[in-house]
Amino acid sequence: RVPAPDPNPPTLAKADGVEWPGLMAIYHGVNWWGDETVVTAIKEAHFGASGCAEFQVDQVTKRGLHSFVFLWAHEAGTVPWKFRDDDTVLCYYLGDRIPPGGWGKWAGLEAAAYRADPLHPAVFSMSPQAWGGIEVYFPIVRGRAIQYYHYSWDSGRLPHMHYAFLEQYRQQSAANGQVPIIRLLESRPEDMRKTNRDIFTSLAYGVRGFQYGGAIFDGGKRDERGVPVQNHLGKVAAKANLAIEAFSPVFRRARNVDTFNVHPLPRGCKTVPPDYWVRLGGAEVCMGEFADRFASYLVLANRNAFGASQAVLQFAEKGLKVSKMNKNLGYWEDLPLKEEPNGLSSVAVPLEEADGELVRVIGHCVKPTITGPLQFVGKARVAIASGNHSGTIRYTLDGTAPTRESRAYKSPFEIAGTTKVRAIFTRGSTNESAVAEATFTKVQPQKVDGKQVGPGVAYEYYEGSWTALPEFDKLKPAGTGKRADMSLKASRRENEYGLRFSGYLDIKTAGSYTFSLCSDDGSRL
């Protein structure tokens, strides 16, 4: 028999089919009822979607906008059925400011919406600064998107946690199939630069929907067509929305890899590692790294809402082509790289106040990974691998920098003495990765209990299904070996296996030591 499909599978299974069109600015404001000129005004402010009721979807669609459909709870299992084949629908909005105590009920509504329309997610907004609970949203709700609001400029709403919340949502999205994050913002009538700062820094953290609006039209004023006129808030919003519109095609495919900041670090932030493929400099700069199969992309955001800044990018690789999106006209402009005395190439990208830029990098190659025992007795086996495609790994064993003329890696090899292995990945006639290196040190064995022992721990790997910890001495191992640490990576499958590690511990300082072990199914120390 073929089992019935799960009516509410986990997020990772549900997120596979979600349709999400890149980036989206979503208008969340007045109900226009039958006045379709308001929809025209929303479109001309460069919003990509509009909040609407079911009966207004057609009005939104015929103006080339996506629909952010507001539903009553009792409609979750019925209305989405009507739009399951409509690619102009963005998602369904089920509720506002729902605390974790109510998520069980709303999980049922999301499941009903999923059964009716598996392609378009259903969301409700949550408040991270009031309730927390970000880490249990997906286990409870199994949502296909995640939405939250944080008015980070209000003193009572933990403004210092702006970046920490962004990082938490970024990590939760990545762990659950890169589901879309929607952030509910507010138009700041006292200074729209605050809203813009939140848009571009959120974009660097992988947010793909920005829901805001408010009073961006000038009261009852209308142009000669009868379309509401933008006020000064609307003009600033339209400029930011135009950038989102220009960036959007990239983010149909590109997904967030990581996000970094420069010092001084806000809470919850981290800097670029010193040996990373791109290095970041400047003042008050945030950088989100994204990638698809064709290129790498860097979202550069100015954390300073009230002053201009500059991001400085440095690259160790050769042959890169760097360009910047013209966010007003929607095309790529080349950025010439400057060769530095230290062998790096660099480019400076100006950032206006509360603004951001999208940079494309073509030709980036991930540097190889070099594996083997860092300390060994006798001989050691070294392997080099690369996550890139259609290229060659070149390596050296004498500590010199590898070049295109260095030895090509074909298979793992043995070393008999202390060796520094350095490697690069090359593609075509120009592209080269940064240099990877690892030092493998030969050590003298120690004599213990009449045995000669070296670094690492021996392991025995067993396969079987047991209700209690077996007597390993009576079993034949399916594999044996030695590792640098006691790790479950020595196993060959997810379940129904056992591992036994043995070795000697060299305690150099006398004292009292406590050893402990914890496990899920069974263990013995």
Side-chain angles (χ1 to χ4, degrees):
R1 294 192 310 163
V2 177
D6 189 340
N8 188 29
T11 292
L12 280 170
K14 293 162 73 173
D16 275 348
V18 168
E19 296 179 353
W20 193 264
L23 304 178
M24 194 64 57
I26 306 160
Y27 182 78
H28 183 110
V30 298
N31 191 325
W32 66 86
W33 296 104
D35 184 1
E36 297 186 25
T37 61
V38 176
V39 191
T40 300
I42 294 169
K43 172 70 174 179
E44 293 180 354
H46 298 288
F47 284 93
S50 177
C52 63
E54 176 195 354
F55 74 91
Q56 296 170 317
V57 170
D58 286 343
Q59 301 172 26
V60 172
T61 301
K62 70 183 182 181
R63 284 167 177 79
L65 293 169
H66 286 78
S67 299
F68 188 82
V69 187
F70 290 83
L71 299 182
W72 293 104
H74 67 274
E75 298 175 315
T78 56
V79 171
W81 179 267
K82 304 175 184 178
F83 301 108
R84 61 184 295 152
D85 297 318
D86 187 344
D87 59 7
T88 68
V89 168
L90 187 66
C91 63
Y92 307 102
Y93 191 52
L94 295 176
D96 185 31
R97 308 186 186 198
I98 309 301
W103 288 358
K105 170 188 172 183
W106 292 90
L109 299 180
E110 204 289 332
Y114 169 74
R115 290 191 293 271
D117 180 358
L119 302 181
H120 305 112
V123 299
F124 58 81
S125 66
M126 66 180 78
S127 166
Q129 73 272 19
W131 308 311
I134 300 169
E135 68 284 350
V136 297
Y137 168 80
F138 287 106
I140 294 176
V141 179
R142 301 186 174 190
R144 293 164 283 163
I146 187 167
Q147 186 201 38
Y148 80 103
Y149 75 93
H150 181 210
Y151 302 152
S152 62
W153 291 95
D154 293 343
S155 60
R157 298 180 187 264
L158 308 181
H160 63 287
M161 293 293 288
H162 169 68
Y163 297 96
F165 290 144
L166 283 170
E167 176 64 16
Q168 290 172 20
Y169 280 99
R170 187 193 72 81
Q171 291 184 15
Q172 289 297 313
S173 170
N176 289 276
Q178 295 277 9
V179 300
I181 306 170
I182 306 167
R183 182 168 179 186
L184 183 59
L185 301 166
E186 61 175 351
S187 300
R188 303 292 303 199
E190 79 282 3
D191 199 328
M192 280 292 285
R193 291 177 295 182
K194 296 178 178 179
T195 301
N196 282 4
R197 191 284 309 255
D198 285 358
I199 287 174
F200 286 102
T201 53
S202 297
L203 179 54
Y205 278 85
V207 174
R208 287 193 274 161
F210 301 92
Q211 184 182 352
Y212 75 113
I216 66 172
F217 302 117
D218 197 357
K221 291 185 180 180
R222 298 184 177 239
D223 63 16
E224 65 278 1
R225 301 169 299 164
V227 175
V229 175
Q230 297 170 15
N231 59 19
H232 71 285
L233 302 182
K235 292 176 181 177
V236 176
K239 183 178 179 182
N241 292 345
L242 185 62
I244 293 171
E245 190 177 87
F247 294 175
S248 183
V250 168
F251 293 94
R252 289 178 182 270
R253 304 181 308 268
R255 295 294 177 264
N256 180 264
V257 176
D258 213 334
T259 302
F260 307 99
N261 281 264
V262 297
H263 289 287
L265 287 178
R267 180 175 295 190
C269 297
K270 60 179 179 290
T271 59
V272 177
D275 60 345
Y276 209 58
W277 72 275
V278 56
R279 302 169 197 184
L280 178 65
E284 296 290 333
V285 179
C286 175
M287 181 182 77
E289 179 189 357
F290 299 78
D292 59 23
R293 56 181 295 201
F294 306 103
S296 295
Y297 304 89
L298 305 173
V299 173
L300 304 173
N302 186 357
R303 300 191 319 229
N304 186 353
F306 312 112
S309 185
Q310 176 178 263
V312 178
L313 303 175
Q314 290 187 316
F315 306 96
E317 298 176 61
K318 306 298 183 185
L320 299 179
K321 293 182 179 179
V322 182
S323 54
K324 183 186 76 170
M325 171 64 73
N326 183 316
K327 54 183 185 285
N328 295 320
L329 300 176
Y331 66 87
W332 295 103
E333 300 173 327
D334 289 340
L335 293 179
L337 293 177
K338 177 184 176 183
E339 296 298 325
E340 302 287 353
N342 59 3
L344 303 178
S345 58
S346 68
V347 63
V349 182
L351 298 171
E352 296 181 5
E353 57 190 11
D355 202 9
E357 301 288 354
L358 176 61
V359 171
R360 180 180 65 181
V361 182
I362 296 176
H364 164 53
C365 302
V366 179
K367 67 182 181 181
T369 56
I370 305 171
T371 57
L374 296 181
Q375 292 184 320
F376 65 94
V377 174
K379 295 182 179 181
R381 185 177 176 85
V382 176
I384 310 176
S386 171
N388 304 298
H389 60 88
S390 63
T392 305
I393 297 173
R394 303 275 179 178
Y395 71 100
T396 62
L397 301 179
D398 59 2
T400 60
T403 68
R404 290 175 175 274
E405 285 69 46
S406 299
R407 187 182 318 181
Y409 176 78
K410 295 180 180 178
S411 60
F413 53 88
E414 285 189 340
I415 55 176
T418 296
T419 305
K420 176 179 279 190
V421 181
R422 306 184 75 189
I424 59 171
F425 178 86
T426 65
R427 182 193 297 128
S429 59
T430 57
N431 297 132
E432 294 181 10
S433 74
V435 178
E437 63 178 51
T439 299
F440 302 94
T441 305
K442 184 172 184 176
V443 298
Q444 293 300 316
Q446 297 185 50
K447 287 189 176 181
V448 182
D449 296 338
K451 306 174 185 176
Q452 280 197 336
V453 298
V457 289
Y459 73 85
E460 298 161 355
Y461 169 72
Y462 303 84
E463 293 182 349
S465 179
W466 308 289
T467 57
L469 205 65
E471 292 296 328
F472 288 112
D473 286 335
K474 298 180 180 179
L475 301 177
K476 182 179 179 180
T480 60
K482 187 162 69 173
R483 289 188 56 84
D485 56 5
M486 287 178 278
S487 168
L488 299 185
K489 291 180 181 178
S491 63
R492 299 175 186 173
R493 58 189 188 184
E494 295 268 333
N495 291 292
E496 298 189 332
Y497 69 85
L499 282 167
R500 178 162 68 168
F501 297 95
S502 60
Y504 290 86
L505 182 65
D506 187 8
I507 298 178
K508 301 184 186 307
T509 304
S512 297
Y513 294 82
T514 300
F515 299 89
S516 62
L517 180 67
C518 66
S519 61
D520 188 315
D521 288 336
S523 57
R524 180 167 58 239
L525 175 64

